Amino acid sequence: MKSLPLAAFLAASLVLAPAAQAKLSKAEAAMAKTVTAEQERSITLLEKLVNQNSGSLNLEGVEKVAVMMRAELEPLGFTVVWKPTPETKRAGHLIAVHKGKPDAKRLLLIAHLDTVFEPDSPFQKFTHKGDMGEGPGAGDDKGGMVVIVAALRAMKAAGTLKDANIEIHMTGDEEDAGDPIEKARADLIEAGKRSDVALDFEGLVRDNGADMGSVARRSSESWTVTATGKSAHSSGIFSAAAGDGAIYELTRIIARFRTELPEPNLTFNVGLIAGGQDATLDAGGIRAAVSGKTNIIAPIAIARGDLRTLSGEQAARVKAKMAAIVAQHAPGTGATLAFDPGGYPPMAPTDGNRALLTKLNGVNRDLGLAEMAALDPLKRGAGDISFVAADVDGLAGLGPYSTGDHAPGEAVDLPSIERQATRAAILMSRLAAEKR
């Protein structure tokens, strides 16, 4: 069944609603109508963006998408800069600034130009299938960029953009961040320090069919445990001379991680293990070369995994537990624990973030839409907004709803572009009118 256009839905709901609930201003009602009237234009832009491959490592493709976005933002009054980042081996970032009243709140909008689909992927083209638009990055995050543009066009048409202070950062390496990440995210972090509100336009999450509000995102860090032992004939295993060997030591550590670390909002995964007479990892830490025999006690064993936490305090505490477990060696063994540099910090569920969700629910109420509950952070991965979370209140998930992200068949729910753009246009207009 086709979804009812948002403008028609709003018209019907406001006719039926008590007068006290019909709280959209004239400008806000105009924004809703503009978004609906330009839905086909938004879908056309989405198709154009999706059909340009912009895998994180396709530097030329990422920049071409940036050129497309520049063409959308400059006519809206934004000063647009392309910031290349060759020092991180990635394409760069698009930064757009709209200056409004000096004493008005400063909004930071976050999205990303890149996708996980590189040029050698067989999944390359946009396909319109009823209410779904299928294609690489259709939801993550080209749909999010389309929502931004649709919302800003509606604001301009209604006259609420002219006084708004808005800075947009569209990163070119969200799916595979450049190294060092401190340089890759330096501009975004500085933007967070000078902003009052951060709004992330990655995908909307639905839970049991209900649109959810994202006030938190967990961190994402990678760790390596390297265990060592004495190389000897297997007949001497567990003896005082030979000890337990590296593989048993690594097994001890991982088993204790599993039993002693669990707590709310924490996950830790072991994604790769290698052990034997020889074991080495490639430069990226994603492939292992290993050799050994059944009658030789393994002198080396390596495990790689990730750690996801909801706050800096939780991360520090869990890392201390991990270090203590690694330090308690089995006989004749040793082990070290190391965390990769960089990683994504957490976006904790602060009171300021919850207050923003309350404001978004005010928009929902005035639109006649259901209230959005706060999403369980276990149901949302890491994202770029986390890099500014320590400095500014924020909301994530303002992009459209999509399915199958990061895999062939990724598809965006096209009516959700209209709904999310309407929500965003009204929310941004209200926030931009507040004093700093």
Side-chain angles (χ1 to χ4, degrees):
M1 184 176 68
K2 289 281 186 181
S3 299
L4 187 65
L6 185 59
F9 171 82
L10 291 176
S13 66
L14 292 178
V15 166
L16 297 174
Q21 293 182 344
K23 296 180 181 178
L24 291 182
S25 69
K26 182 178 180 180
E28 290 169 349
M31 282 186 270
K33 290 179 181 178
T34 297
V35 170
T36 298
E38 296 194 346
Q39 173 73 346
E40 287 304 316
R41 178 178 177 181
S42 295
I43 294 172
T44 298
L45 174 60
L46 176 65
E47 180 173 4
K48 181 181 178 182
L49 294 171
V50 169
N51 285 339
Q52 171 56 61
N53 179 277
S54 60
S56 305
L57 303 182
N58 179 6
L59 309 192
E60 181 181 359
V62 170
E63 188 168 356
K64 286 181 178 179
V65 171
V67 170
M68 295 177 190
M69 296 311 299
R70 177 193 289 271
E72 298 294 330
L73 295 171
E74 285 184 335
L76 296 173
F78 283 81
T79 300
V80 182
V81 174
W82 171 247
K83 184 70 178 291
T85 56
E87 68 277 15
T88 69
K89 298 181 176 62
R90 295 295 184 270
H93 313 306
L94 188 77
I95 302 171
V97 177
H98 185 282
K99 292 185 177 180
K101 289 185 176 180
D103 61 344
K105 279 192 173 178
R106 298 175 181 176
L107 311 187
L108 172 62
L109 315 187
I110 303 171
H112 62 91
L113 304 160
D114 63 319
T115 77
V116 300
F117 302 96
E118 299 295 341
D120 60 353
S121 168
F123 187 51
Q124 293 290 342
K125 294 297 182 182
F126 181 86
T127 305
H128 198 151
K129 297 182 176 180
D131 277 348
M132 303 300 290
E134 182 179 291
D140 187 17
D141 185 35
K142 292 178 177 179
M145 293 191 293
V146 169
V147 167
I148 289 176
V149 170
L152 293 174
R153 284 201 302 253
M155 291 174 68
K156 184 175 178 64
T160 64
L161 181 59
K162 60 182 176 62
D163 293 330
N165 292 308
I166 298 177
E167 184 169 352
I168 304 172
H169 279 244
M170 295 180 174
T171 58
D173 60 347
E174 196 272 349
E175 301 291 6
D176 189 356
D179 182 35
I181 202 165
E182 292 81 5
K183 289 186 177 180
R185 292 296 174 271
D187 291 307
L188 179 61
I189 292 169
E190 287 304 310
K193 294 181 186 299
R194 58 179 173 261
S195 300
D196 300 302
V197 175
L199 302 175
D200 159 53
F201 284 82
E202 286 203 291
L204 170 71
V205 174
R206 286 178 177 161
D207 198 4
N208 294 320
D211 291 358
M212 304 297 289
S214 295
V215 298
R217 301 188 74 152
R218 293 188 303 151
S219 66
S220 179
E221 298 183 80
S222 296
W223 53 263
T224 303
V225 171
T226 303
T228 56
K230 299 176 183 177
S231 181
H233 196 283
S234 64
S235 62
I237 189 72
F238 310 135
S239 67
D244 284 20
I247 291 177
Y248 275 115
E249 166 67 348
L250 184 60
T251 303
R252 174 196 71 81
I253 292 168
I254 291 172
R256 288 190 62 186
F257 281 179
R258 178 66 184 89
T259 57
E260 298 179 28
L261 295 182
E263 61 178 70
N265 297 312
L266 170 71
T267 56
F268 48 94
N269 178 58
V270 183
L272 182 152
I273 290 182
Q277 181 64 32
D278 295 291
T280 57
L281 299 180
D282 69 356
I286 62 173
R287 296 179 181 84
V290 62
S291 63
K293 293 183 177 180
T294 60
N295 62 350
I296 297 176
I297 299 172
I300 186 167
I302 306 169
R304 291 266 295 160
D306 78 352
L307 175 70
R308 295 173 186 262
T309 60
L310 192 54
S311 68
E313 181 277 330
Q314 184 180 43
R317 177 163 37 79
V318 172
K319 288 178 180 180
K321 285 184 180 180
M322 294 172 73
I325 291 169
V326 170
Q328 298 172 15
H329 308 307
T333 69
T336 60
L337 169 67
F339 287 87
D340 289 5
Y344 277 65
M347 173 188 176
T350 64
D351 289 343
N353 296 354
R354 294 187 185 97
L356 283 175
L357 179 57
T358 297
K359 291 181 180 181
L360 177 58
N361 277 324
V363 174
N364 286 326
R365 182 172 57 253
D366 295 343
L367 285 170
L369 301 175
E371 181 170 312
M372 298 166 70
L375 178 71
D376 182 344
L378 288 174
K379 297 180 179 181
R380 168 129 246 161
D384 277 343
I385 192 173
S386 294
F387 286 99
V388 303
D391 298 307
V392 62
D393 297 331
L395 274 181
L398 293 172
Y401 175 69
S402 59
T403 60
D405 291 4
H406 288 204
E410 177 179 333
V412 65
D413 176 69
L414 296 172
S416 73
I417 293 175
E418 183 181 342
R419 178 172 291 197
Q420 289 293 83
T422 302
R423 282 172 167 151
I426 296 173
L427 177 64
M428 290 192 293
S429 296
R430 293 180 179 183
L431 291 171
E434 295 178 1
K435 302 294 185 183
R436 298 199 71 195

